[in-house]
Amino acid sequence: ELEVALKVVIVGDGGVGKSSMIQRYCRGTFTRDYKKTIGVDFLERQIEIDGEDVRLMLWDTAGQEEFDAITKAYYRGAHACVLAFSTTDRDSFLALHSWKLKVENECGEIPTIIVQNKIDLMDQCVVGPDEAELVARALGCRLMRASVKEDVNVGAVFRALAARCLAD
Ligand code: GDP
Ligand code: MG
């Protein structure tokens, strides 16, 4: 039986929790000061979707997003995308559109889920629930809310993306 391997790129402004999300999903850990590169291009995790083995390769940007210096190699061959923003960072929410365009320019239309991270900090929320839904609809993406810190919905995001890819 053939194993499916999916490359997933995680994009969004610096500080929204992309590296933490990858680390949480692939290693099961969370640290407050996770900022250095993971030392490799991606971490991976194997899951099963409807009886099919799927190998997810989650690509980290290693901080280049802050210099707008993400290379084509990062996007090359990506099958799916997580567009992440933070509950406490309005600029990261406003940047979703431009991140979507960057991915589209390099990869075309690929299954993409918008993730509102850090919902454990809802008391500091700077993005209204309705406007998040509106932007997701305008960009043609599903919106999911997550807390990498509290391990809420992280697995669900990647399962949903993998399922979408298998259905295509
Ligand atoms: P990146 O720049 O997008 O890769 O973001 P990082 O993964 O480096 O995370 C930036 C900071 O946000 C770190 O201090 C993380 O510990 C923190 N962080 C990540 N996810 C969450 C979350 O769900 N809740 C809270 N409260 N902090 C988070
Ligand atoms: Mg990072």
Side-chain angles (χ1 to χ4, degrees):
E1 192 184 308
L2 271 180
E3 178 204 63
V4 179
L6 298 175
K7 173 175 178 175
V8 182
V9 290
I10 324 289
V11 301
D13 282 3
V16 301
K18 302 181 298 297
S19 299
S20 301
M21 187 181 302
I22 295 169
Q23 182 188 237
R24 162 67 80 194
Y25 189 61
C26 296
R27 291 177 170 161
T29 56
F30 177 81
T31 50
R32 187 165 299 283
D33 54 0
Y34 185 75
K35 47 182 177 292
K36 271 319 289 172
T37 156
I38 50 181
V40 293
D41 294 329
F42 60 87
L43 290 181
E44 55 182 33
R45 177 166 171 178
Q46 200 124 358
I47 59 171
E48 210 183 280
I49 303 276
D50 294 334
E52 228 177 318
D53 286 328
V54 180
R55 190 158 59 95
L56 291 171
M57 294 168 288
L58 308 189
W59 283 61
D60 197 6
T61 56
Q64 301 117 307
E65 71 272 18
E66 289 177 45
F67 318 108
D68 204 15
I70 298 181
T71 57
K72 284 191 186 302
Y74 177 78
Y75 295 105
R76 190 172 301 133
H79 300 94
C81 172
V82 169
L83 269 183
F85 72 100
S86 166
T87 297
T88 61
D89 177 353
R90 188 157 180 87
D91 286 344
S92 74
F93 171 68
L94 298 175
L96 286 175
H97 190 205
S98 97
W99 281 113
K100 177 76 162 59
L101 287 177
K102 279 179 204 174
V103 175
E104 235 175 80
N105 281 339
E106 301 293 340
C107 310
E109 288 280 355
I110 55 175
T112 299
I113 290 181
I114 293 176
V115 175
Q116 174 175 354
N117 187 35
K118 309 197 187 184
I119 56 162
D120 55 288
L121 300 177
M122 268 311 198
D123 55 331
Q124 302 165 45
C125 185
V126 291
V127 180
D130 295 344
E131 54 179 354
E133 293 287 354
L134 270 175
V135 165
R137 204 169 311 154
L139 296 179
C141 302
R142 177 170 173 195
L143 169 69
M144 294 179 80
R145 297 187 167 89
S147 168
V148 171
K149 183 181 181 190
E150 309 289 344
D151 204 3
V152 174
N153 254 350
V154 178
V157 166
F158 293 110
R159 292 194 68 82
L161 266 183
R164 273 273 306 287
C165 289
L166 292 191
D168 281 350

